[in-house]
Amino acid sequence: MFQRTRKVACPHCNGANFWHGNPRPTDVLSCRYCDADVIRYDEYVEQAARHEAERLLAEFVESDISRDLAHLKAVLATPEQRPCQ
Ligand SMILES: [Zn+2]
């Protein structure tokens, strides 16, 4: 599920680092530029899951609003089809 986003920016030098293979939860990614500890794999997975959930939620909310707007425009464009009160 998280295979496509395995790039992590180093918090110290902002260098791009990548997880390789199949890391254990306790594995720590070391920056290949400045040798600092970037993030632990279980923390990385948790962050990735949270970002993915936020992204999906944002997409869902946006599509919901655009669908409502499209419906509203259709109703306003065809007043004769409005339900009678
Ligand atoms: Zn670094």
Side-chain angles (χ1 to χ4, degrees), residues 35-55:
D35 258 354
D37 289 347
V38 177
I39 194 167
R40 245 171 65 148
Y41 192 63
D42 57 352
E43 290 173 353
Y44 163 75
V45 168
E46 196 188 309
Q47 278 188 16
R50 193 159 49 228
H51 289 159
E52 184 72 1
E54 283 170 2
R55 193 184 62 78

Side-chain angles (χ1 to χ4, degrees), residues 19 21-22 25 48 52 56 61 65 67 79 84:
W19 291 103
N22 201 8
E52 184 72 1
L56 287 174
V61 168
I65 288 172
R67 195 166 58 231
C84 296

Side-chain angles (χ1 to χ4, degrees), residues 55-69:
R55 193 184 62 78
L56 287 174
L57 196 64
E59 266 183 21
F60 174 76
V61 168
E62 273 173 25
S63 69
D64 212 39
I65 288 172
S66 62
R67 195 166 58 231
D68 284 353
L69 283 177

